[in-house]
Amino acid sequence: LFRTLEGFVRARPDLLVRHAPLLHQYLTPHDAGGKLNLEQSQLTGSIANIYHCVLPYMTPLPATLVKYLETDLPKLVRNSPSMHLIVASVRCFCTLVRSVCRSQP
């Protein structure tokens, strides 16, 4: 489902802007050790890619979402079992930084 949504968002990111903050719950690992298995890693990578596409269209950026992403994306890089998730998380974090800097007066 999230891979389909990821493909859709690449084509029309503006249509998901309103719903993007709801996806954060899938970005945060919920198991005890914070480590992700391969399936969770793929899901989380898809969510990070969705945010990468949608963040530039979110104006203004919700402060709570920025706070969550600033906290969770570095954790994903640190605990990632796959290079796919590391790439998606770093790319999403870079987009977040650009979006925050752009929205600041």
Side-chain angles (χ1 to χ4, degrees), residues 4-24:
T4 303
L5 187 59
E6 180 184 352
F8 178 72
V9 147
R10 287 177 192 252
R12 294 291 306 271
D14 54 312
L15 295 179
L16 191 68
V17 166
R18 192 175 85 160
H19 306 287
L22 300 174
L23 296 175
H24 179 262

Side-chain angles (χ1 to χ4, degrees), residues 41-98:
S41 174
Q42 290 171 344
L43 168 82
T44 305
S46 290
I47 300 299
N49 286 331
I50 289 169
Y51 274 123
H52 166 70
C53 294
V54 171
L55 284 172
Y57 293 88
M58 296 179 75
T59 53
L61 282 168
T64 54
L65 179 62
V66 171
K67 180 180 151 205
Y68 288 142
L69 292 175
E70 284 177 340
T71 303
D72 290 342
L73 289 170
K75 287 180 190 174
L76 289 175
V77 171
R78 197 171 36 248
N79 297 329
S80 175
S82 71
M83 186 56 105
H84 167 75
L85 181 55
I86 292 171
V87 169
S89 298
V90 169
R91 185 170 47 193
C92 182
F93 195 74
C94 290
T95 301
L96 175 67
V97 169
R98 277 193 304 266

